Amino acid sequence: MGDMLKLCKKYFGKKDLYEVFDIAKNASEKEIRQAYRRLSLKVHPDRVAEDEKAEATEKFKVVSAVHSILSNKSKREMYDKTGSVENDDDLDLDNWRQYWQSIFKEVTEQDIIDYEKKYKDSQEEYNDLKRAYVGHKGDMNRILEHVLFSSPDDEPRLEMIIKKWIEDEEVPAFEKFLNEPASKKEARKRKYEKEAKLAAKESKKRKTASSNESTGEEDLFKAIQSRQSSRAAQQNNFLDKLAEKYSTKPTKGRKK
């Protein structure tokens, strides 16, 4: 993999393994495992566009490598003492899917539903949202990409949270956020509509190809991708109904 600390800096902006996982240096095994799961869900190649899969794959390899060190007592102690990481020849990161599956087994869609319910409006989501807002200087496209389970139908809720933070001076007031062009929002809407259609086609293919069983890990990320994309279509109806409700234009057959 090359110098892993340099790769951490390249892909996550941090050379400290604990900072990559956003955990304390005295984090427990459970906290390390949870951090790995959370970050792997964010960077997994199945959650990004085709032209972003190569970079996402490298990110996922780095995340797996970080976990392989922090979850190993001797390797973690060595890292804590020296601050350096030796090349890990024991872990073939080209098999990152199998590595993930060995950590998280028998993942079901119900697990996703339960995790999403727990995540929404949790402190974990708020932390992710704040990092994404500050790190990407208010770019809503990037914010939605980095906050789990988020899509355009989450925008009103996320915007309210961010505006409250700005009002309380917890975060800077970025121009990109406060004065986002309508054309950018429309482009984002079209993108999610397209992804929703592709997700629907992919779902149909998976149903017809029942003979090809996928791993629990593959089911997890495909289901997440499908759930996030399909909500884009729901957002269209929501926005249309909202516009209709508050529009001042007279409707046909009725007085203004």
Side-chain angles (χ1 to χ4, degrees):
M1 268 191 80
D3 191 328
M4 201 183 80
L5 295 183
K6 288 183 178 179
L7 291 175
C8 287
K9 180 68 174 177
K10 176 181 178 180
Y11 291 120
F12 299 98
K14 299 166 184 175
K15 292 184 71 174
D16 183 278
L17 303 189
Y18 294 101
E19 290 183 5
V20 172
F21 270 17
D22 192 24
I23 55 177
K25 290 190 175 182
N26 62 347
S28 64
E29 292 182 13
K30 181 179 179 180
E31 290 172 327
I32 292 171
R33 185 174 182 274
Q34 289 175 335
Y36 174 44
R37 181 186 180 93
R38 177 174 57 81
L39 190 55
S40 65
L41 285 171
K42 289 183 179 180
V43 303
H44 193 279
D46 287 350
R47 297 188 65 244
V48 300
E50 192 64 35
D51 59 347
E52 299 176 346
K53 285 188 182 295
E55 180 175 329
T57 298
E58 295 307 311
K59 286 182 178 180
F60 201 101
K61 290 179 181 180
V62 173
V63 172
S64 297
V66 172
H67 178 265
S68 73
I69 293 170
L70 297 184
S71 62
N72 183 292
K73 185 177 180 180
S74 60
K75 292 177 183 178
R76 183 179 180 181
E77 288 178 351
M78 181 62 67
Y79 172 71
D80 289 343
K81 289 179 181 178
T82 65
S84 61
V85 175
E86 295 183 3
N87 287 334
D88 193 345
D89 297 327
D90 297 331
L91 177 62
D92 180 5
L93 289 175
D94 289 332
N95 296 325
W96 49 266
R97 284 183 184 271
Q98 288 80 357
Y99 180 79
W100 199 99
Q101 187 186 1
S102 71
I103 306 298
F104 306 109
K105 297 179 180 179
E106 299 181 0
V107 179
T108 67
E109 178 142 5
Q110 188 60 47
D111 292 329
I112 304 169
I113 295 171
D114 293 341
Y115 184 66
E116 180 177 0
K117 288 179 180 178
K118 183 179 178 181
Y119 179 81
K120 289 290 183 71
D121 287 314
S122 69
Q123 189 60 50
E124 183 181 6
E125 184 192 42
Y126 297 155
N127 292 340
D128 291 343
L129 177 59
K130 187 172 289 187
R131 274 194 298 269
Y133 173 77
V134 175
H136 298 289
K137 301 187 184 302
D139 187 330
M140 187 55 75
N141 283 347
R142 302 295 288 168
I143 291 171
L144 293 179
E145 289 174 4
H146 286 78
V147 177
L148 281 177
F149 303 109
S150 63
S151 62
D153 60 324
D154 292 295
E155 284 190 45
R157 179 177 64 88
L158 300 181
E159 286 177 355
M160 284 180 60
I161 296 171
I162 294 172
K163 286 178 180 178
K164 183 65 168 58
W165 288 340
I166 294 174
E167 183 181 334
D168 295 341
E169 298 184 348
E170 291 186 35
V171 296
F174 292 116
E175 182 72 15
K176 283 183 180 180
F177 174 76
L178 295 177
N179 296 298
E180 183 182 44
S183 59
K184 188 174 181 180
K185 287 191 175 184
E186 183 62 28
R188 183 163 60 243
K189 177 182 174 182
R190 291 196 300 269
K191 176 186 176 183
Y192 275 81
E193 286 176 345
K194 182 179 179 181
E195 289 179 352
K197 291 178 181 178
L198 291 174
K201 289 182 180 179
E202 182 63 26
S203 178
K204 187 176 181 179
K205 286 181 181 179
R206 290 202 305 272
K207 289 179 180 179
T208 55
S210 58
S211 59
N212 298 324
E213 294 184 359
S214 58
T215 65
E217 177 265 346
E218 289 171 334
D219 287 337
L220 169 66
F221 291 108
K222 286 177 180 178
I224 288 177
Q225 186 180 46
S226 177
R227 284 173 62 79
Q228 291 191 170
S229 298
S230 64
R231 285 202 298 263
Q234 299 174 12
Q235 170 68 359
N236 297 339
N237 294 332
F238 170 77
L239 292 176
D240 291 341
K241 290 179 180 178
L242 196 64
E244 181 181 348
K245 180 178 180 180
Y246 294 103
S247 173
T248 57
K249 293 177 64 177
T251 56
K252 187 176 180 180
R254 294 178 60 184
K255 292 182 179 181
K256 182 175 178 180

